[in-house]
Amino acid sequence: MRQITLLGPQRLEPTLIQAVRAQNISGKIATVTAGWQEREDEDRELHEHLESRTINLRLYDRVSRIFEHDPGLRDAFRTRQDRLKELQRFYRIRLDHVLQAARELVAIDEQSDLLDGHLASAIRDLQLLDEEHLENVRRIHEHYEHEVDPGGRDEVRRQRDEVRAILTDCDALAIAGGHVAILLNRLRLLDIPTASEGKPLFLWSAGAMAMSERIVLFHDSPPQGQGNPEVLEAGLGVVGGVVPLPHARRRLRLYDRSRVALFARRFSPATCVTLDEGSRVDMTDTGWQSTKGTRKLLETGEVKELSA
Amino acid sequence: MNRVSMEAFTHPLAVQELASRQDLSAEAVAQFIDEHTFPLVEGTSITFLYRGRADAVYLHQWIYGLPSAQPFHRLGDHDVWYLVQEIPEKSRFEYKLEVVQGDQHRLIQDPLNPQIARDPFGANSVCHGAGYEVPDWTEPDPEARTGRIERMIVQSKALGGRRMVSVYVPARFRPDRRYPLLIAHDGGDYLKFSGFKTVLDNLIHRLEIPSMIVALTHPRRRLREYADHEPHAAFIAEELLPALEFTYPLIDVDDARGLLGASFGAVAALSTAWRYPGKFGRLFLQSGSFAFTDIGPHSRGPAFDPVVEFVNGFRKNPIAVSEKIYLTCGVYESLIYENRSLLPILQGTGMEVKFVESRDGHNWENWRDTFRGGLSWLFPGPLWMVYE
């Protein structure tokens, strides 16, 4: 298994360099800051933090250039994104109702085998809806790939080759957070999972989400709406068995046992891991090691240290 | 919500226990005052207390429906006066004390209450009822990047002369990006009395609203310019907006363009949108002075004449002027009736309207407290998609 490190947010108290040193990485480090969108190149602090050893792959800029060279691909991409947004909207409407039933059941404080059965079914309903959504998303992607064949297009091939060449010279890849869908789309179009195969990975916030198996959007206290966690789509699947939860302290009501329990049960068997400032999970062949304060959501509604 | 007699309480309040003591000493009274903060909130009962020489003390609170001056009771023969009021949970209101000595009547802030709110006329004491908390997003957040306020001068033919406009430019502004625009009436007062810049910094930092440009206007003859004044609308739509579009990279669609105003400012916002339907896709109307008459004259004074004419006309022939309207009003304002009356008329035009009431009065902190709900509804931020 390749070495993968998940980290908490890096803006205020960066800990990336400690993680890099812990893995004895002394060479160049490729970085992806495409989630920052047009601020992609505002990476001086990151560069300095990593002892000026970074090379930014500039995926946001590369994809912009691909679209400039290949308007047909751009249009097909936009059409796909519109379809995905529409799909997400319909999924959200159904999710609201299914989730509400599960919430009401999980909030009942009674010992009853009948209640347990209904709650289990309600959670299964949720999981089925999520799975159906993932399948619908997959079909849209499949159709797009079949119709457009992005990997076979000249400018995409050229950019992929450049990225692969840069990565060959680097000892590791660090992927920052930002806009998770924009980041995911850039990583996918430039085939970063293949190009970075075997390289140690350092991932934080949306970077961790995009490389996971399933991207879960979440916020328990948004200014509008119920704060229903929702599946966006499958991630790139490089990080298995984890639902990364960046800024969990700020975004989740971790004291609310009902919500925590429901979250953990819905996404089981994956482990829902909080990634706050200072969090770190080193994933290796022998298992996971994490820093204090990196926690997991339990099906009991508790939130416990990941390494405990 | 009424002033209540002490006997009405099942459980004695702190001041009630104090008053019931026999041979109440000055030391005991002083100790009581030292041990409590005032106004003293005990559930929905709130005790106001004044210490000092007086012939009478009154509570003047800006709560529509209650007597404007409510008398305090003297505590024994001490120079201490108190009043207990029942206030619903999550209320917030502003008040002053009137202290009468001989023929002198002084209107003062509550000396025992450090909470004050400022407005263009000075400052009032503030009472926070049980369950009310100042929203954390109104306080400076050291993690939030801060925007800046720029000044621009607009030459106005419509209003005559040069008009200074303050412009909030968000942190990490980039000229190669396009931004939504909000034009705020009484912008200077929003900055001074509603902490608007801090709120914008925080909501943008929290991703609850997008990075946006906010133009903050400063009226000269407010009651005239804001009372359905055609030149004002022309200034906003035909002079200020183009000047902003020339100076800043703005998203050129109506749903990324909004107007904000409170009180007469809300009338100006609605009136401008009505004169330029479709131009501003987002309206945020706070405690609008939407006075109207069904029959006969109104009683709000001559400044309201053009407002009443406008609102009467709008009620008669309502049209969709925008896509979304966030309408707010405090239930302790006299204008709650007018705003509730306007709601179905706005909804009947097909516009998407959200109406939110607060337990507060006609003041700048009430309007501050509705910013998060209103701005995030009108201009939703990338909260769900961005994880930095």
Side-chain angles (χ1 to χ4, degrees):
Chain A
M1 182 184 171
R2 77 201 295 186
Q3 177 272 316
I4 298 172
T5 299
L6 309 182
L7 295 158
Q10 295 294 301
R11 180 187 153 218
L12 296 174
E13 293 172 23
T15 54
L16 178 57
I17 188 63
Q18 286 96 311
V20 167
R21 285 178 188 147
Q23 300 301 332
N24 296 315
I25 289 163
S26 55
K28 292 178 193 167
I29 300 166
T31 59
V32 172
T33 56
W36 302 353
Q37 303 169 73
E38 69 273 23
R39 297 183 212 290
E40 177 177 61
D41 58 357
E42 294 178 11
D43 63 346
R44 201 182 68 187
E45 285 180 18
L46 175 62
H47 182 65
E48 289 172 359
H49 175 70
L50 289 179
E51 301 166 330
S52 304
R53 289 194 273 146
T54 68
I55 302 175
N56 196 324
L57 295 177
R58 299 182 55 107
L59 301 190
Y60 187 80
D61 180 59
R62 285 179 193 280
V63 171
S64 300
R65 276 188 274 152
I66 287 171
F67 287 161
E68 275 172 33
H69 279 83
D70 191 341
L73 178 65
R74 180 197 61 204
D75 294 346
F77 175 86
R78 287 181 180 167
T79 301
R80 185 195 76 182
Q81 290 308 109
D82 288 344
R83 294 268 298 157
L84 288 172
K85 277 182 193 165
E86 194 179 4
L87 181 68
Q88 196 76 17
R89 187 161 58 91
F90 298 145
Y91 158 70
R92 216 173 270 147
I93 290 169
R94 289 175 64 195
L95 176 64
D96 194 36
H97 293 276
V98 179
L99 195 51
Q100 186 55 37
R103 276 201 184 121
E104 286 182 28
L105 288 165
V106 85
I108 298 173
D109 187 18
E110 289 174 22
Q111 296 292 324
S112 161
D113 58 330
L114 298 175
L115 175 63
D116 292 345
H118 274 284
L119 181 55
S121 296
I123 289 168
R124 186 66 197 138
D125 290 345
L126 266 174
Q127 291 169 332
L128 286 170
L129 178 60
D130 290 342
E131 284 165 19
E132 183 191 321
H133 180 60
L134 283 171
E135 177 58 20
N136 289 336
V137 173
R138 192 191 63 73
R139 282 200 196 121
I140 290 176
H141 280 294
E142 191 178 69
H143 176 76
Y144 164 82
E145 295 281 333
H146 178 73
E147 293 289 310
V148 178
D149 184 23
R153 301 177 88 100
D154 291 347
E155 187 61 18
V156 174
R157 270 211 305 267
R158 201 175 73 74
Q159 295 291 349
R160 283 184 178 181
D161 289 345
E162 281 186 22
V163 167
R164 199 174 297 115
I166 296 169
L167 276 165
T168 303
D169 282 346
C170 293
D171 289 352
L173 172 64
I175 303 179
H179 193 294
V180 67
I182 287 173
L183 175 61
L184 174 71
N185 289 332
R186 269 71 189 162
L187 292 170
R188 185 185 279 132
L189 183 59
L190 292 169
D191 198 18
I192 296 302
T194 307
S196 65
E197 206 159 359
K199 303 270 183 198
L201 291 177
F202 298 90
L203 314 170
W204 64 99
S205 298
M209 296 165 77
M211 294 295 264
S212 69
E213 293 168 316
R214 181 174 40 181
I215 297 173
V216 178
L217 309 177
F218 62 97
H219 198 300
D220 276 349
S221 308
Q224 310 292 335
Q226 297 295 311
N228 296 335
E230 62 185 55
V231 172
L232 179 69
E233 59 175 282
L236 297 171
V238 176
V239 182
V242 175
V243 175
L245 303 173
H247 297 284
R249 269 200 302 265
R250 202 179 72 205
R251 298 179 78 108
L252 290 175
R253 288 187 232 153
L254 295 173
Y255 55 85
D256 184 333
R257 292 177 71 108
S258 296
R259 288 185 87 101
V260 168
L262 194 53
F263 202 113
R265 289 185 70 173
R266 176 178 169 190
F267 297 112
S268 174
T271 306
C272 301
V273 177
T274 67
L275 294 174
D276 289 298
E277 275 79 6
S279 295
R280 180 170 133 199
V281 186
D282 291 312
M283 309 172 84
T284 63
D285 290 336
T286 53
W288 298 355
Q289 284 193 323
S290 60
T291 53
K292 192 167 182 297
T294 307
R295 299 183 290 168
K296 60 184 171 185
L297 277 53
L298 300 182
E299 294 187 19
T300 57
E302 296 164 285
V303 183
K304 290 216 162 155
E305 290 291 324
L306 182 60
S307 288
Chain B
M1 182 169 57
N2 288 306
R3 187 164 56 91
V4 294
S5 68
M6 301 292 282
E7 291 74 22
F9 296 103
T10 310
H11 302 291
L13 299 171
V15 74
Q16 196 175 11
E17 285 187 357
L18 182 75
S20 66
R21 287 193 207 171
Q22 300 217 333
D23 301 325
L24 182 61
S25 67
E27 290 73 21
V29 173
Q31 187 182 356
F32 174 80
I33 295 172
D34 285 346
E35 287 176 350
H36 295 89
T37 56
F38 295 94
L40 178 57
V41 179
E42 296 169 276
T44 54
S45 303
I46 299 184
T47 303
F48 297 86
L49 194 136
Y50 175 75
R51 176 168 55 180
R53 288 195 165 188
D55 296 325
V57 180
Y58 297 91
L59 178 72
H60 287 258
Q61 91 287 66
W62 283 265
I63 296 181
Y64 184 73
L66 292 184
S68 59
Q70 301 195 64
F72 279 48
H73 310 282
R74 191 167 184 180
L75 189 64
D77 57 358
H78 298 276
D79 284 336
V80 173
W81 301 74
Y82 68 89
L83 172 69
V84 178
Q85 260 204 303
E86 279 290 293
I87 299 288
E89 287 185 346
K90 297 189 177 174
S91 294
R92 179 198 164 283
F93 65 90
E94 301 185 8
Y95 68 97
K96 276 197 167 86
L97 303 183
E98 181 188 2
V99 179
V100 182
Q101 264 190 300
D103 56 0
Q104 274 199 326
H105 292 248
R106 290 184 299 134
L107 208 52
I108 63 169
Q109 292 163 26
D110 184 345
L112 294 176
N113 181 4
Q115 299 278 356
I116 59 164
R118 299 185 186 282
D119 65 21
F121 309 105
N124 295 316
S125 295
V126 180
C127 178
H128 295 166
Y132 173 85
E133 285 183 17
V134 176
D136 60 355
W137 46 266
T138 66
E139 308 284 355
D141 177 352
E143 291 188 12
R145 298 179 177 95
T146 55
R148 62 180 186 273
I149 302 291
E150 298 182 348
R151 278 163 50 103
M152 69 184 289
I153 303 294
V154 180
Q155 189 69 40
S156 175
K157 281 185 188 169
L159 292 171
R162 289 148 57 91
R163 292 295 173 122
M164 197 276 279
V165 177
S166 306
V167 181
Y168 172 84
V169 178
R172 303 199 294 172
F173 169 81
R174 289 177 66 106
D176 58 352
R177 186 176 190 178
R178 297 208 167 265
Y179 294 86
L181 169 71
L182 178 69
I183 297 175
H185 292 80
D186 293 312
D189 289 339
Y190 274 122
L191 290 175
K192 269 188 272 183
F193 309 124
S194 296
F196 199 22
K197 181 177 176 297
T198 299
V199 170
L200 290 168
D201 287 341
N202 287 344
L203 297 183
I204 290 169
H205 168 67
R206 293 175 178 215
L207 307 164
E208 294 181 1
I209 61 173
S211 287
M212 61 195 303
I213 302 286
V214 181
L216 304 136
T217 65
H218 307 274
R220 283 192 196 151
R221 299 173 64 198
R222 181 173 183 274
L223 292 183
R224 178 176 162 78
E225 290 173 13
Y226 284 5
D228 184 38
H229 190 50
E230 191 277 332
H232 169 78
F235 166 67
I236 296 290
E238 296 180 24
E239 295 174 339
L240 176 58
L241 181 59
L244 289 164
E245 286 172 332
F246 179 78
T247 311
Y248 299 98
L250 301 176
I251 301 171
D252 187 22
V253 293
D254 57 358
D255 63 8
R257 211 181 286 132
L259 297 174
L260 163 68
S263 192
F264 259 54
V267 175
L270 181 63
S271 156
T272 300
W274 177 74
R275 290 175 184 278
Y276 295 88
K279 191 101 172 167
F280 301 95
R282 300 288 181 266
L283 298 186
F284 193 166
L285 311 178
Q286 301 177 304
S287 304
S289 305
F290 300 121
F292 65 92
T293 57
D294 287 314
I295 186 169
H298 68 91
S299 56
R300 287 184 178 269
F304 275 82
D305 288 348
V307 175
V308 170
E309 190 179 342
F310 165 64
V311 178
N312 283 352
F314 187 82
R315 287 167 59 85
K316 194 172 176 186
N317 293 305
I319 58 164
V321 298
S322 189
E323 283 180 28
K324 291 176 86 170
I325 297 183
Y326 196 82
L327 186 71
T328 71
C329 194
V331 295
Y332 303 155
E333 304 183 49
S334 68
L335 289 164
I336 189 69
Y337 167 75
E338 283 80 357
N339 279 272
R340 284 174 179 160
S341 301
L342 187 63
L343 176 64
I345 293 167
L346 294 173
Q347 288 172 325
T349 65
M351 291 186 284
E352 193 177 350
V353 186
K354 191 164 185 177
F355 179 52
V356 174
E357 297 183 356
S358 54
R359 287 189 176 140
D360 205 328
H362 196 75
N363 62 70
W364 290 94
E365 292 193 359
N366 176 15
W367 302 328
R368 174 199 67 187
D369 288 358
T370 63
F371 277 150
R372 183 184 185 227
L375 292 174
S376 67
W377 189 71
L378 295 168
F379 299 95
L383 180 69
W384 285 90
M385 298 305 288
V386 174
Y387 302 78
E388 285 188 332

